[in-house]
Amino acid sequence: MRSLDEFATAKLGELERNSLRRVLVDTTRVKGLWLLRNGRRLLSFSCNDYLNLTHHPAVTEAAVEALRIHGVGAGASRFVTGNHPLYAELEGRLARLKDTQAACVFGSGYLANLGIIPALVGPRDLILIDELAHACLWAGARLSRAEVIAYRHADVGHVEALLPKLRRRHERVLIATDGVFSMDGDIAPLHELAALAHQHDAWLMSDDAHGLGVVGGGRGSSFVRSTKADVPVQMGTLSKALGAYGGYVCGSAALVDLIRNRARTVIYSTGLPPAIVAAASAALAVIEREPRLAALPLAKAKAFARSAGLKEPASPIVPVLLGESEAALAASRMLEQHGFLVVAIRPPTVPPGTARLRLTFTAQHPDDEIERLARLVRERIIASAATTASRAR
Ligand SMILES: Cc1ncc(COP(=O)(O)O)c(C=O)c1O
């Protein structure tokens, strides 16, 4: 259709002019940390494979064995014939790690949020959501048709001010936040939000995609402080620290059973490939067996931040804020010249004017390479951003 192609071409031109056009680049991962891209070998600081489990022998062997026994695809929804026995093992392990009664696995983290939120709240209800929550929490919130109000990032006072005003007008209230924020790496004030939720009979939900395996001794953001945060709906993904694929929710037996019965993304979507479920289970077993592994990515991120002169991070995600998209792209290109892959993150993934480099650290990143990267970031990126800012004043 001519009008369709004209529409697409005009939109793409607009993205191009604003340095916001995205292109897919062929990338071959070599043993997880290293990549082949554009004919070059690069050390990646952009993967979420925090524990390097994508290539762990116990994980890949579990996948291969499951593939031989169960075949490639699940063949149908979990509620038809797709519920191979590997699911029960994985859900048991997730619930045990998160100290909940039950867990339910989804096709992905994105699908989990699209399924969970509309299963719990609807048009007569309210969702208070952190303004920097991940796109799929927002998508689930909008899909529910509840009233959605954003509160200022991690601002407990804002939630405290909104709840008394709004609570009575709605039947149910859900407070939704990332546990570890995906683009900033900070941790949500879960204890304080849980106390407010109790006070106002609201339900707290965390998206712990970047918490599982790397903070709170590997158990996630609810376990970072000395007492566990009371978060009745803990959602996450199997695709980051576990190195596999899929999403999950952990909670009480009643909550999880309701979600299984009501979440359309579980009911009307094919089950995960058995090999992936087996891999995620094996990855959880590694985390259970080697509790010290979970501390390494954060320790590496802290060493980097100290050396680069950045604020101490709370998770293995370290943002270097640069402002405009072009500045972030230029910094990323410069690092690539030195053998590092650090992808530039631009709007709409982050708010306008906050384009950045987002670095993620993994258990196996070599210390000397971290030091070399920190020096480049300090001398070639932060110093020049400061000069540009002072010239502009
Ligand atoms: C905070 C957060 N939630 C959810 C997701 C989606 O998870 P998945 O990749 O399993 O769909 C991501 C991944 O990008 C994420 O960063």
Side-chain angles (χ1 to χ4, degrees):
M1 278 282 281
R2 219 173 108 214
S3 63
L4 181 58
D5 284 345
E6 279 168 6
F7 163 77
T9 308
K11 280 281 169 201
L12 287 169
E14 196 180 310
L15 290 171
E16 186 77 50
R17 282 190 295 283
N18 294 317
S19 300
L20 293 177
R21 186 164 178 177
R22 294 164 197 248
V23 285
L24 291 169
V25 184
D26 277 359
T27 305
T28 306
R29 296 180 66 218
V30 187
K31 298 202 176 132
L33 270 184
W34 295 88
L35 313 167
L36 297 178
R37 229 182 191 213
N38 299 327
R40 304 193 54 193
R41 188 168 180 270
L42 301 170
L43 180 60
S44 170
F45 284 87
S46 283
C47 287
N48 300 312
D49 185 12
Y50 298 112
L51 302 176
N52 316 100
L53 293 179
T54 54
H55 290 67
H56 190 290
V59 176
T60 54
E61 276 158 27
V64 169
E65 194 190 333
L67 184 70
R68 280 210 196 94
I69 298 170
H70 299 279
V72 177
S77 156
R78 295 186 64 185
F79 282 99
V80 184
T81 57
N83 197 44
H84 45 81
L86 299 164
Y87 268 115
E89 186 189 333
L90 174 59
E91 290 175 344
R93 279 189 196 282
L94 282 165
R96 197 158 67 232
L97 188 76
K98 291 283 184 181
D99 191 24
T100 59
Q101 288 174 343
C104 174
V105 166
F106 288 74
S108 73
Y110 202 111
L111 287 174
N113 279 334
L114 293 191
I116 297 163
I117 301 177
L120 300 179
V121 289
R124 298 207 309 229
D125 304 325
L126 170 70
I127 298 175
L128 294 180
I129 183 167
D130 189 291
E131 62 182 341
L132 296 188
H134 190 263
C136 61
L137 262 184
W138 275 96
R142 291 199 174 111
L143 192 64
S144 74
R145 295 187 292 143
E147 186 180 351
V148 181
I149 296 185
Y151 62 87
R152 286 189 296 274
H153 176 53
D155 188 339
V156 177
H158 195 195
V159 180
E160 194 170 11
L162 290 170
L163 273 171
K165 273 197 269 176
L166 300 170
R167 180 67 189 89
R168 252 172 292 129
R169 286 198 244 145
H170 299 86
E171 212 169 303
R172 293 176 286 254
V173 176
L174 183 74
I175 303 172
T177 178
D178 287 21
V180 174
F181 284 88
S182 59
M183 295 298 134
D184 294 84
D186 54 333
I187 295 180
L190 293 176
H191 284 79
E192 292 77 4
L193 291 174
L196 282 176
H198 270 282
Q199 201 181 327
H200 296 276
D201 186 25
W203 304 331
L204 179 59
M205 172 175 180
S206 66
D207 175 335
D208 216 18
H210 296 276
L212 181 73
V214 284
V215 298
R219 303 177 79 186
S221 55
S222 293
F223 297 86
V224 167
R225 298 199 205 160
S226 54
T227 55
K228 184 177 89 171
D230 183 8
V231 184
V233 190
Q234 295 180 62
M235 167 272 162
T237 177
L238 311 172
S239 66
K240 304 198 191 295
L242 296 192
Y245 196 73
Y248 68 84
V249 63
C250 288
S252 70
L255 170 84
V256 169
D257 206 11
L258 174 71
I259 286 173
R260 282 201 181 115
N261 277 276
R262 295 287 307 280
R264 299 173 70 84
T265 51
V266 176
I267 301 167
Y268 299 110
S269 187
T270 299
L272 279 168
I276 282 299
V277 177
S281 239
L284 279 170
V286 172
I287 294 173
E288 282 170 14
R289 262 199 322 270
E290 299 175 39
R292 286 176 32 201
L293 185 63
L296 292 177
L298 178 55
K300 304 251 174 190
K302 284 184 178 170
F304 166 82
R306 255 193 318 275
S307 184
L310 294 164
K311 181 169 117 215
E312 178 167 288
S315 75
I317 300 169
V318 181
V320 180
L321 262 73
L322 293 166
E324 294 312 314
S325 295
E326 193 39 58
L329 289 170
S332 173
R333 280 193 298 268
M334 184 278 288
L335 292 178
E336 191 166 332
Q337 292 305 314
H338 288 84
F340 296 117
L341 181 79
V342 183
V343 172
I345 308 286
R346 297 166 281 165
T349 306
V350 291
T354 70
R356 66 195 66 186
L357 295 179
R358 169 186 179 268
L359 296 96
T360 49
F361 291 82
T362 77
Q364 287 176 7
H365 271 117
D367 293 336
D368 54 344
E369 293 288 356
I370 291 177
E371 187 48 42
R372 191 164 74 84
L373 175 65
R375 202 173 331 120
L376 281 168
V377 168
R378 189 178 66 233
E379 291 171 4
R380 302 278 305 273
I381 297 176
I382 299 175
S384 86
T387 315
T388 313
S390 75
R391 275 204 205 109
R393 276 198 293 271

